[in-house]
Amino acid sequence: MAETHPTCLASLLFLVRERFYRQAVNSAVSFLKTYPNDPVLLFFKALGALNEGRTQEAMRELSQLRDKPQTSLCSVMALLCAHRQSAAVDREAVSELDVCLKMSRRTAGDRALYFASLLYWILGRNEKARDYVEKSLKMSSSSSQGLILKGYIFLTSDNDVERSQAARYFDSGLRDSKDVFGLMGKAEFFMVRQNESRALDMVNQIIASHPQFIPALVLKMNIFMSHHNWEQAAEEAERILETDAHNLKALQMMSVISAAKDGDMRKVKEYLQRLLSAVEVTEPSTLGLHVEITLPISRLCGHNGDVVQMLTSFVQRAVSRAPGDSALASELGYLLTLQHKYKEAHRWYTKALNLDPESMAALEGMIRCQLMDGQVEEAAQQLDFFHEVQQSLGRSAEVTLLQALLAQKKGAAQESVATLLKEATELHLQALRGLHHSVDYLQKLNLNFLLQVVRMHLANSQDAPYDAGQPHPFGLKHSCMILEAVIRAAPGVFTSCYYMAQVKFLTGDQAAAQHFLNLCMEKEPAMPEIHLLQAKLHLHAGDYSKCLNCLESGVSYNFELRQMPQYNLIKARALKGTGELTAAIQCLCMVLGMPGVRRVTEGQKTSLSLSERASVFLELADALRLNGEQHEAAKVMQDAIWQFKETPEEMRVMVANVDLALAKDDVDTALNVLQSVPPDKSSYVQAKEKMACIYLERLRNKKLYIECYREICEHLPGPHSSVLLADAFMKIQEPEKAIEVYQEAVKMAPKDASFATKIGQALVRTHQYDKAVNYYETALSTSMQDSVCLELAELLLKLKCFERAQQILEKALDHENSTNLSTMMNDVAFLRILVKVMHAKNEPCLDNLQQIYELQQKIVRRLSFEQPEKIDQEKRMAAVICCELAQKVCSNHDLEKAKQCYSEALIYCADDIEINFQIAQLYYEHNSLDYCEDQCFKILKLDEKHTSTSMLLADVLFRKNQKEEAIKRYTDIIYQYPGNFQALARLLHMLRWVGRLDDVLPFFKACETYSPTAVTESGYNYCKGLYYWHAYRVREALIHLNQARGDPEWGEDAVELMVHICLNPDKEIFGGEVFESSEEDLDSSPPFAFEGKLIGMSIAQDLLRTFRPRSKTGQDKAVFLYNLCLVHSKEPKQVEKAVLDLSDMVAKNVLLEASLLVAAQAFLLLKQSPRARNFLKRISKAKWTHAIAEDFEKSCLLLADMYIKIGKYTNAEKLLDDCIRYNMSCSRAYEYKGFMMENDQRYKDAAQQYELAWKYSYCTDPAIGYRLAFSYLKCKNYTQAIDVCHQVLLEHPDYPQIQTEILNRAQLLLRP
């Protein structure tokens, strides 16, 4: 029996449900070869023939099945259908069959009842089908086929409750079997419930067992389509076509994907031709199917003349074979309207209406043709009739659209047209509710309908972008909403992309407009409108040369572009922008002379919108004014005022007239014109705003400025008017009054979150932070608005109310997982602030960052299909999140994970310089210098003037011992950018490290020459202070650093350096003991006006009291400097306290090298030398970098001091050589080396080291001078010894012992 075959019945039912009757017949014949005379197969063969119109053949075969137990009922039912659809009904036979049916029902078995139910279900009579299947299940309650059929009946019910119960019957039917038809039903159930993953699991089970089962492959293809997975849907379609090259569903899917996703009309025509040929071959008799299978393509590709012509020819063939089919005639009329052949279309609609007087499609088509052909009155009469009918039948989307079209043709107000368009759209989209994304969805979406709504909205829009803050008209917002839905469903249709580009251009989103234009350019580069809009974008950006080039490029694609008025209007604007006024005036005069521009007569067609016509007049008047032809400009303006009186452009012309008056400084005339606008005019608000602008900017009268907005509130009360008044108060710095008005607006519109946000921002602006927080919280308690929640969380974060911020954010995120894109985007924003809060609380936030990234990945994947205009912005956001994640894992010392995160960031923004620079910094910080160098060169290829990269490359070269090249790069940067003080500071360090500190002085001169005010800049003063510090000129260093310490950029570094200077002005090795005994004998007071080190300590502490760093690093630095002061106090209790804090910083890896150094100094003061030595060894073994250079040097010197003290000269010498290798100006290293040589009585060598120490200490340290003179004395170099003594005594006349012990002896020994 055929019923035992796993896929036979499922295949036949699939074909019959899809109305593939000829294929059902052929399939039944094929299975009859395996199961000869099987009654079920014979029944399906007869049913297919009956539906194909072969009634007599079907009746003969069905009569033979009446005696078969399984088909006794269903064959009689099918015979009744056959008789009733015959041209001449045999009433006697029908009566006999009715009696037979009644008798058979009483004696029928469960299988007969099952197939009777199946037939009723196929015919769409669910109630009858349900009765029969329930009778069948009473006889055989465990029948899996009966339960599965009942599941299908419930699934296709109109009742939502019954549909939700279908799964129960499918599960019961599949409990003891893996019935393919049941699995298909369960998969369909999951699709209806929009659970695509479960549906896919079901289908994969079928395909695993039956890989060639076409219906399962078709269902899998549809599942992928419902999930917007175009690529895999196409793969499944190709897989089906490999098995069945004429498969109609697969060919239809490929045609739709080529149109909706790829926008590739060549591929559309190729697949469409194959589809049309296949349907004529596989279903030659089902002519209704011929049209049905092509409907999605005609609704998607109505903009393409070639595709529409192919479909027209195909439908004409179908109509010639079925001249009595009203639906075919209506579809032919529809295709002709797409080709603007309205008279011919009207003829076919009339024929369709004659065939079926109740055909709504035919009547609607007729009215459309009349409207488009200028027969407005006839169409109006028909629509009046429709209006009466609709009161009983309900509103129709198509009729409402026709009413809007009629209103527009009659010149009705744009508001009334927009209202009708909104209603038409809502009615149209109602039919899509509950449908998943599919071929059927795209057909019902009907792009032709929606794009006509958009065209009608845009017909009266202005031709230039709206100003920032200016409210957008409803038509633009509605168009944007429609186009978002269209592009989400069919992202490849270039017409919708073009309209979206136009909408984004008008709303001021130039980046999104450019994105959509790029998509259009890829698909239809010859379309003139694309080049015109691209030229407008360049024009709006002020890039006139690109605008003109774009126009010429458009002409190269299509020479007819030169004849378009828009081409000459845009060209004239660009020429005016470049100053070529005469050429611009010629262009505009030529446009004005074109038909339908200066004035439009009744019935005359023009390609210019009303806004563009007004622009021609206004641009010509302005060009004439600029060219000095004031009289001619006034004449053109008066003509414009007369032409556009009582039109939507009246206000724009009036404002231009006002601007003309203001250009002549005729303020009184301008105000008189604006005051003449009465409150009942739509331009009243714009006129008052223009007046307010004149009062504020021209007359500086704030009172009259505010009065203008008060009059708006008086004559047009409402929340929008109140917001205008409040914004005006904010503009003149009166936030308290603004808050009062905002609160009034909130009372009028309590659900508008933007008002609450404005009040909160105003309170913050007046520093009423507590009130702002309370207000936001009150607003949230009434309505959980995401924008308010974000504002509140950010404010609490700034106020360091971390716990409250976290509670707010966690509450906002406490919802079920949502697939809504705006919700997902808001969640990303909330989570990013939550991460900042957790970071501020020192809580781990890596998992949250990972969650943000995963969520952002989902957003980016969906945006490419649903909102492609936002894809670039969200890709950028994904890249930023990757970088934040990389920085976090990098702080956890996971270098490989950080590299991976940065690599993922580059996937989103491959050529983003900042991301590439962060990668270079990562390599640098982890000592991968070769990789860092390569990365820097990569960045400089993208932007050779990227200064930060050039500086980083110089740092890399310096560390690779290419010091001269590094210094050259820094000098090039400073000569190119003399005001770059960051580069100057880094160069100063490098020159000091190579022993050429004074080479920096010419660069200070260069800065002063470049900008005479440079000497007052904080960066300059910091660099000058740094130079003086290294030149041992402490007083000058402090003076300059003091001028920089209040700066947000340089202040932290300036304060840190000042604290170090105050605590150790002589650059002693704090904690060292080698020179301690000799230092006790000399004057230790610093060379500036300190009276002992206590004063220095006091000043350092005062500096720290006023130190208010904002960054986390700055706060850590403040803690460190505070503990540094404690250590320098040398009081045991203070030192012990500092050790605890510093040990904690070391454990947390905060300012590690600096903390280790100061902790070691503290241990030395506490007589814990071993612990100090261990800390110092950690630093000395570290990799030298610019960041730790100072701490590395001090640590090596202190450790060397300890080794010298205990006589380990070899260890000390190695450390001192390291100091000199990294800093050739390290005078203390030379001093220590000289000291060791002196102790070894190698006085000549010691003298050489002391010479360098004396040189690099700028001859200011008397102790070094003393030791140098002594070494000269010992090696009998008396002249130089005397010179050094004189130098020391010149600066320190009371310096002990040098005169008696060295100078006098040298003079005596020098005498003959």
Side-chain angles (χ1 to χ4, degrees):
M1 290 176 63
E3 290 181 71
T4 61
H5 191 281
T7 61
C8 174
L9 190 61
S11 296
L12 290 169
L13 285 168
F14 170 79
L15 294 169
V16 171
R17 286 176 72 194
E18 295 293 344
R19 296 178 61 204
F20 298 161
Y21 300 122
R22 176 61 61 89
Q23 293 179 66
V25 170
N26 293 340
S27 183
V29 169
S30 175
F31 279 115
L32 280 167
K33 292 175 184 177
T34 308
Y35 305 102
N37 300 318
D38 186 278
V40 174
L41 293 175
L42 291 168
F43 172 74
F44 275 102
K45 178 174 175 286
L47 184 63
L50 176 62
N51 280 295
E52 277 198 300
R54 293 180 281 145
T55 309
Q56 294 304 316
E57 178 188 337
M59 289 170 69
R60 283 196 304 273
E61 294 187 5
L62 289 168
S63 297
Q64 296 171 15
L65 298 174
R66 290 175 61 180
D67 298 329
K68 305 291 181 182
Q70 292 166 288
T71 57
S72 57
L73 272 179
C74 62
S75 58
V76 172
M77 293 172 183
L79 278 168
L80 278 168
C81 291
H83 278 289
R84 284 169 181 159
Q85 71 182 33
S86 298
V89 180
D90 186 343
R91 301 198 178 279
E92 185 178 338
V94 170
S95 178
E96 180 198 340
L97 287 169
D98 278 332
V99 172
C100 180
L101 180 63
K102 289 175 184 176
M103 292 177 63
S104 298
R105 260 201 307 249
R106 293 175 194 153
T107 58
D110 65 303
R111 300 307 295 158
L113 290 167
Y114 168 79
F115 282 106
S117 173
L118 192 62
L119 177 60
Y120 274 127
W121 177 66
I122 290 168
L123 295 173
R125 299 175 65 183
N126 275 20
E127 289 302 320
K128 282 281 188 184
R130 185 172 174 179
D131 290 342
Y132 275 91
V133 79
E134 285 176 350
K135 287 178 183 177
S136 171
L137 287 171
K138 282 179 182 177
M139 295 183 178
S140 178
S141 59
S142 61
S143 168
S144 60
Q145 287 185 319
L147 289 165
I148 289 166
L149 179 57
K150 190 171 182 180
Y152 270 106
I153 293 166
F154 273 61
L155 183 62
T156 53
S157 168
D158 293 331
N159 188 307
D160 286 337
V161 177
E162 288 186 355
R163 282 201 298 272
S164 65
Q165 295 173 353
R168 180 155 54 96
Y169 297 106
F170 286 127
D171 288 338
S172 300
L174 292 168
R175 187 172 298 144
D176 300 320
S177 70
K178 292 295 179 184
D179 185 282
V180 171
F181 188 50
L183 289 170
M184 292 279 287
K186 196 166 182 184
E188 287 184 34
F189 168 79
F190 285 127
M191 281 194 71
V192 169
R193 307 298 291 180
Q194 296 186 348
N195 190 340
E196 289 85 0
S197 59
R198 295 286 300 278
L200 197 58
D201 290 342
M202 293 291 109
V203 173
N204 284 335
Q205 287 183 41
I206 303 169
I207 294 172
S209 304
H210 311 285
Q212 301 301 313
F213 183 53
I214 297 292
L217 295 173
V218 169
L219 186 54
K220 187 175 183 180
M221 174 181 74
N222 291 335
I223 291 169
F224 285 132
M225 184 66 166
S226 71
H227 211 253
H228 291 266
N229 195 331
W230 303 91
E231 288 78 9
Q232 288 195 281
E235 283 178 20
E236 288 302 318
E238 293 290 1
R239 179 178 174 184
I240 294 166
L241 291 172
E242 287 173 8
T243 305
D244 177 9
H246 293 94
N247 188 278
L248 300 181
K249 285 291 182 182
L251 288 168
Q252 183 193 50
M253 180 63 78
M254 290 307 296
S255 301
V256 167
I257 289 174
S258 299
K261 185 254 179 182
D262 301 327
D264 188 338
M265 290 299 116
R266 184 187 59 78
K267 283 170 64 179
V268 172
K269 288 185 277 188
E270 178 188 328
Y271 282 114
L272 180 58
Q273 188 58 57
R274 287 175 62 183
L275 176 64
L276 300 181
S277 302
V279 75
E280 288 181 328
V281 170
T282 57
E283 297 296 332
S285 303
T286 318
L287 296 173
L289 180 67
H290 288 203
V291 171
E292 184 181 313
I293 204 89
T294 60
L295 282 178
I297 293 101
S298 66
R299 271 52 180 178
L300 272 172
C301 303
H303 59 279
N304 187 276
D306 294 341
V307 172
V308 174
Q309 184 54 52
M310 285 175 68
L311 292 170
T312 304
S313 302
F314 178 70
V315 173
Q316 282 173 335
R317 290 198 298 273
V319 169
S320 65
R321 292 173 59 193
D325 192 322
S326 172
L328 288 177
S330 290
E331 181 61 19
L332 182 55
Y334 178 80
L335 292 170
L336 289 166
T337 58
L338 293 178
Q339 299 173 79
H340 310 295
K341 299 178 180 178
Y342 300 115
K343 284 187 169 57
E344 193 176 348
H346 188 275
R347 183 165 57 83
W348 281 105
Y349 279 128
T350 305
K351 183 177 179 180
L353 203 60
N354 291 335
L355 292 169
D356 180 8
E358 295 183 359
S359 172
M360 295 289 285
L363 191 52
E364 288 165 357
M366 280 181 62
I367 297 170
R368 177 179 288 278
C369 291
Q370 288 172 339
L371 282 170
M372 301 309 292
D373 203 35
Q375 301 174 35
V376 178
E377 292 305 321
E378 293 86 340
Q381 292 172 10
Q382 296 279 9
L383 279 171
D384 287 340
F385 166 73
F386 251 125
H387 182 69
E388 296 298 326
V389 172
Q390 279 189 334
Q391 289 182 348
S392 57
L393 298 178
R395 300 282 286 172
S396 153
E398 182 67 29
V399 173
T400 309
L401 178 62
L402 292 173
Q403 287 175 335
L405 191 59
L406 175 65
Q408 195 173 62
K409 292 278 184 183
K410 286 187 168 184
Q414 184 61 23
E415 289 78 8
S416 59
V417 175
T419 303
L420 288 167
L421 290 174
K422 180 186 177 187
E423 184 184 355
T425 306
E426 288 172 351
L427 291 168
H428 180 75
L429 295 178
Q430 276 178 4
L432 300 172
R433 287 176 187 165
L435 286 180
H436 55 261
H437 189 256
S438 60
V439 171
D440 183 45
Y441 176 91
L442 290 172
Q443 175 190 321
K444 290 179 179 175
L445 185 67
N446 192 354
L447 265 62
N448 303 328
F449 179 96
L450 293 173
L451 293 181
Q452 180 171 11
V453 173
V454 171
R455 278 194 297 272
M456 291 174 69
H457 275 312
L458 294 178
N460 291 317
S461 65
Q462 65 183 47
D463 65 331
Y466 287 85
D467 296 331
Q470 188 179 358
H472 300 152
F474 169 78
L476 273 185
K477 296 176 187 174
H478 195 227
S479 297
C480 191
M481 182 274 291
I482 292 169
L483 290 168
E484 282 174 356
V486 167
I487 291 170
R488 184 163 55 247
V493 179
F494 87 89
T495 313
S496 52
C497 289
Y498 168 73
Y499 286 130
M500 183 60 102
Q502 195 172 349
V503 168
K504 293 296 181 183
F505 169 70
L506 292 173
T507 54
D509 190 347
Q510 307 307 318
Q514 188 61 64
H515 168 79
F516 285 108
L517 270 180
N518 292 341
L519 294 177
C520 296
M521 199 70 77
E522 289 172 11
K523 294 175 175 63
E524 282 293 328
M527 181 178 171
E529 289 82 1
I530 295 173
H531 295 279
L532 290 175
L533 186 53
Q534 181 68 73
K536 279 186 180 181
L537 251 73
H538 292 314
L539 183 69
H540 180 68
D543 198 335
Y544 304 117
S545 59
K546 278 190 178 179
C547 173
L548 293 168
N549 291 340
C550 188
L551 291 173
E552 292 308 311
S553 175
V555 171
S556 68
Y557 281 106
N558 190 335
F559 285 109
E560 293 179 5
L561 188 64
R562 287 182 184 276
Q563 308 306 317
M564 296 178 70
Q566 292 93 337
Y567 169 88
N568 289 286
L569 174 58
I570 296 168
K571 185 177 179 180
R573 283 172 161 167
L575 289 168
K576 190 180 82 171
T578 59
E580 299 177 51
L581 295 174
T582 305
I585 291 166
Q586 288 175 353
C587 271
L588 290 165
C589 289
M590 184 170 66
V591 177
L592 210 57
M594 291 180 177
V597 177
R598 185 176 287 276
R599 40 181 73 80
V600 181
T601 57
E602 191 174 348
Q604 185 180 24
K605 290 184 179 179
T606 175
S607 61
L608 283 178
S609 67
L610 185 68
S611 175
E612 287 171 327
R613 284 183 57 225
S615 293
V616 174
F617 282 89
L618 300 183
E619 289 292 340
L620 179 56
D622 192 46
L624 289 166
R625 178 184 66 80
L626 292 171
N627 205 36
E629 302 177 50
Q630 304 296 340
H631 181 67
E632 292 298 319
K635 283 172 61 179
V636 171
M637 188 59 72
Q638 288 304 313
D639 194 8
I641 291 169
W642 181 81
Q643 286 288 335
F644 298 101
K645 191 176 181 181
E646 304 295 332
T647 71
E649 294 299 312
E650 181 181 17
M651 180 60 198
R652 188 167 156 228
V653 174
M654 181 185 294
V655 169
N657 194 23
V658 167
D659 288 339
L660 193 64
L662 291 173
K664 302 174 187 176
D665 288 327
D666 191 352
V667 175
D668 291 338
T669 301
L671 289 172
N672 289 335
V673 170
L674 293 168
Q675 283 170 341
S676 66
V677 180
D680 59 341
K681 290 285 184 182
S682 61
S683 54
Y684 174 73
V685 174
Q686 289 171 290
K688 283 294 175 187
E689 287 187 299
K690 187 71 176 176
M691 281 179 69
C693 184
I694 293 169
Y695 283 131
L696 185 64
E697 294 177 7
R698 291 280 183 144
L699 302 178
R700 309 291 181 189
N701 191 324
K702 291 182 180 181
K703 186 177 179 181
L704 290 176
Y705 168 75
I706 289 296
E707 192 58 37
C708 290
Y709 287 101
R710 289 195 189 280
E711 287 179 18
I712 293 174
C713 289
E714 183 183 339
H715 292 107
L716 300 172
H720 179 66
S721 299
S722 296
V723 168
L724 288 176
L725 176 58
D727 288 347
F729 276 123
M730 289 296 290
K731 190 170 182 178
I732 61 170
Q733 307 297 320
E734 294 188 18
E736 293 83 1
K737 292 180 180 178
I739 291 167
E740 293 175 11
V741 182
Y742 280 136
Q743 287 171 339
E744 291 174 12
V746 170
K747 291 175 185 175
M748 298 180 203
K751 293 184 179 180
D752 194 330
S754 64
F755 298 156
T757 302
K758 282 178 177 289
I759 293 174
Q761 289 169 348
L763 288 166
V764 169
R765 196 164 172 179
T766 56
H767 307 292
Q768 300 180 63
Y769 300 116
D770 291 338
K771 282 189 177 181
V773 170
N774 292 336
Y775 186 81
Y776 280 134
E777 288 179 341
T778 304
L780 282 178
S781 65
T782 56
S783 175
M784 192 67 183
Q785 297 285 351
D786 288 342
S787 59
V788 177
C789 188
L790 280 170
E791 291 270 349
L792 174 57
E794 287 179 345
L795 177 58
L796 289 170
L797 177 61
K798 288 175 184 175
L799 297 174
K800 298 185 180 180
C801 301
F802 303 131
E803 292 297 335
R804 289 172 73 185
Q806 189 164 349
Q807 289 170 7
I808 293 289
L809 292 165
E810 286 173 350
K811 184 178 178 182
L813 291 163
D814 185 19
H815 58 75
E816 293 182 2
N817 289 339
S818 174
T819 57
N820 181 275
L821 267 176
S822 60
T823 302
M824 291 166 73
M825 288 178 185
N826 284 332
D827 283 353
V828 167
F830 288 134
L831 283 165
R832 292 191 72 206
I833 300 175
L834 182 59
V835 164
K836 291 178 183 176
V837 171
M838 295 174 75
H839 182 71
K841 292 172 66 181
N842 292 320
E843 292 181 3
C845 53
L846 187 59
D847 291 342
N848 299 77
L849 276 169
Q850 191 64 46
Q851 182 187 352
I852 295 170
Y853 179 49
E854 289 169 4
L855 189 57
Q856 188 65 22
Q857 281 181 307
K858 292 178 184 177
I859 292 169
V860 170
R861 278 198 295 270
R862 285 184 54 188
L863 279 176
S864 56
F865 300 113
E866 298 182 30
Q867 296 178 30
E869 76 280 6
K870 294 182 180 177
I871 189 70
D872 292 336
Q873 175 187 340
E874 293 303 319
K875 276 186 176 181
R876 176 67 192 158
M877 175 62 73
V880 169
I881 293 166
C882 283
C883 292
E884 290 173 353
L885 191 55
Q887 289 161 6
K888 188 62 183 175
V889 297
C890 188
S891 67
N892 294 342
H893 307 289
D894 190 346
L895 179 60
E896 291 305 316
K897 180 67 175 174
K899 287 180 183 176
Q900 181 186 336
C901 292
Y902 278 125
S903 299
E904 289 175 13
L906 288 175
I907 291 171
Y908 296 109
C909 301
D911 293 332
D912 187 281
I913 289 174
E914 288 310 311
I915 296 172
N916 279 288
F917 181 66
Q918 287 183 38
I919 296 171
Q921 285 181 312
L922 178 72
Y923 285 135
Y924 181 78
E925 288 164 8
H926 289 80
N927 301 310
S928 301
L929 300 182
D930 291 333
Y931 287 116
C932 181
E933 186 176 1
D934 292 342
Q935 190 71 18
C936 287
F937 282 123
K938 178 183 174 183
I939 297 167
L940 292 172
K941 281 183 182 177
L942 297 171
D943 180 6
E944 62 182 15
K945 294 183 178 180
H946 196 259
T947 312
S948 299
T949 304
S950 298
M951 290 167 65
L952 182 60
L953 180 57
D955 291 343
V956 171
L957 294 171
F958 190 87
R959 285 184 61 185
K960 291 178 76 175
N961 214 27
Q962 300 174 35
K963 296 179 179 178
E964 291 305 320
E965 188 176 344
I967 290 170
K968 183 180 182 305
R969 282 191 172 271
Y970 269 117
T971 53
D972 290 344
I973 293 168
I974 296 167
Y975 280 130
Q976 191 172 3
Y977 306 105
N980 188 336
F981 298 116
Q982 290 285 359
L984 181 59
R986 298 272 273 277
L987 176 63
L988 191 150
H989 284 300
M990 281 189 182
L991 289 170
R992 173 173 169 258
W993 291 329
V994 297
R996 291 157 43 194
L997 178 62
D998 287 340
D999 286 2
V1000 80
L1001 293 175
F1003 297 101
F1004 286 116
K1005 292 289 184 185
C1007 292
E1008 293 163 15
T1009 304
Y1010 172 73
S1011 172
T1013 60
V1015 292
T1016 64
E1017 292 190 35
S1018 298
Y1020 175 89
N1021 280 292
Y1022 174 80
C1023 293
K1024 206 68 182 280
L1026 186 63
Y1027 166 76
Y1028 283 132
W1029 167 235
H1030 290 313
Y1032 289 77
R1033 294 164 66 178
V1034 177
R1035 185 186 300 278
E1036 292 93 329
L1038 285 173
I1039 291 169
H1040 284 282
L1041 290 170
N1042 191 53
Q1043 293 182 53
R1045 71 185 178 97
D1047 185 74
E1049 181 182 358
W1050 297 96
E1052 286 185 14
D1053 291 336
V1055 169
E1056 181 184 11
L1057 188 52
M1058 289 178 76
V1059 170
H1060 280 288
I1061 294 171
C1062 291
L1063 295 176
N1064 189 6
D1066 295 329
K1067 296 191 179 181
E1068 297 171 352
I1069 304 304
F1070 186 78
E1073 298 179 356
V1074 170
F1075 301 123
E1076 192 175 277
S1077 58
S1078 60
E1079 286 171 357
E1080 287 174 359
D1081 300 328
L1082 51 88
D1083 182 12
S1084 61
S1085 62
F1088 55 95
F1090 287 153
E1091 295 179 2
K1093 292 188 176 180
L1094 286 177
I1095 298 177
M1097 176 73 69
S1098 175
I1099 293 174
Q1101 289 172 344
D1102 287 343
L1103 285 168
L1104 289 176
R1105 286 191 194 97
T1106 59
F1107 188 35
R1108 296 287 183 272
R1110 295 182 179 181
S1111 66
K1112 180 68 171 62
T1113 306
Q1115 290 163 7
D1116 291 337
K1117 199 175 285 183
V1119 173
F1120 167 77
L1121 292 173
Y1122 170 73
N1123 285 289
L1124 181 67
C1125 288
L1126 295 182
V1127 172
H1128 275 263
S1129 72
K1130 297 186 180 181
E1131 295 180 15
K1133 288 185 179 180
Q1134 301 280 28
V1135 174
E1136 286 171 1
K1137 182 183 176 185
V1139 166
L1140 292 174
D1141 287 345
L1142 291 165
S1143 299
D1144 186 50
M1145 293 178 77
V1146 168
K1148 293 178 180 176
N1149 210 19
V1150 174
L1151 301 174
L1152 180 61
E1153 288 77 14
S1155 300
L1156 284 169
L1157 170 61
V1158 179
Q1161 291 170 337
F1163 285 133
L1164 285 170
L1165 292 174
L1166 296 171
K1167 307 303 180 184
Q1168 298 179 28
S1169 299
R1171 294 185 69 182
R1173 188 182 301 113
N1174 290 336
F1175 273 32
L1176 293 171
K1177 282 180 179 179
R1178 283 180 63 181
I1179 306 172
S1180 66
K1181 291 175 182 177
K1183 192 82 173 178
W1184 185 92
T1185 64
H1186 297 173
I1188 68 166
E1190 291 295 319
D1191 298 315
F1192 180 90
E1193 182 178 304
K1194 290 176 184 176
S1195 301
C1196 288
L1197 290 170
L1198 183 55
L1199 187 56
D1201 186 287
M1202 294 175 73
Y1203 283 134
I1204 292 168
K1205 186 74 174 174
I1206 58 177
K1208 291 186 177 181
Y1209 284 7
T1210 305
N1211 291 354
E1213 192 160 5
K1214 181 180 178 300
L1215 290 166
L1216 295 170
D1217 286 341
D1218 284 343
C1219 287
I1220 293 167
R1221 182 167 73 253
Y1222 294 119
N1223 179 11
M1224 293 174 68
S1225 299
C1226 184
S1227 64
R1228 291 298 178 191
Y1230 295 119
E1231 185 180 6
Y1232 275 117
K1233 291 189 80 170
F1235 180 81
M1236 288 190 293
M1237 292 170 183
E1238 185 183 346
N1239 284 353
D1240 291 341
Q1241 297 186 358
R1242 293 157 52 199
Y1243 295 113
K1244 188 173 183 180
D1245 294 336
Q1248 289 176 355
Q1249 299 301 319
Y1250 284 137
E1251 276 178 12
L1252 292 169
W1254 184 241
K1255 172 187 174 183
Y1256 289 120
S1257 65
Y1258 282 77
C1259 306
T1260 58
D1261 190 333
I1264 297 174
Y1266 179 90
R1267 293 189 183 98
L1268 175 58
F1270 181 76
S1271 296
Y1272 282 144
L1273 181 67
K1274 286 293 186 180
C1275 63
K1276 300 181 180 180
N1277 196 338
Y1278 306 125
T1279 307
Q1280 287 184 303
I1282 293 168
D1283 289 342
V1284 172
C1285 288
H1286 283 308
Q1287 289 179 42
V1288 172
L1289 290 169
L1290 183 66
E1291 294 293 328
H1292 306 276
D1294 298 327
Y1295 192 78
Q1297 300 175 352
I1298 194 167
Q1299 177 136 10
T1300 57
E1301 292 185 6
I1302 301 176
L1303 181 58
N1304 293 341
R1305 286 176 63 190
Q1307 288 172 340
L1308 286 170
L1309 291 169
L1310 190 63
R1311 290 171 185 168

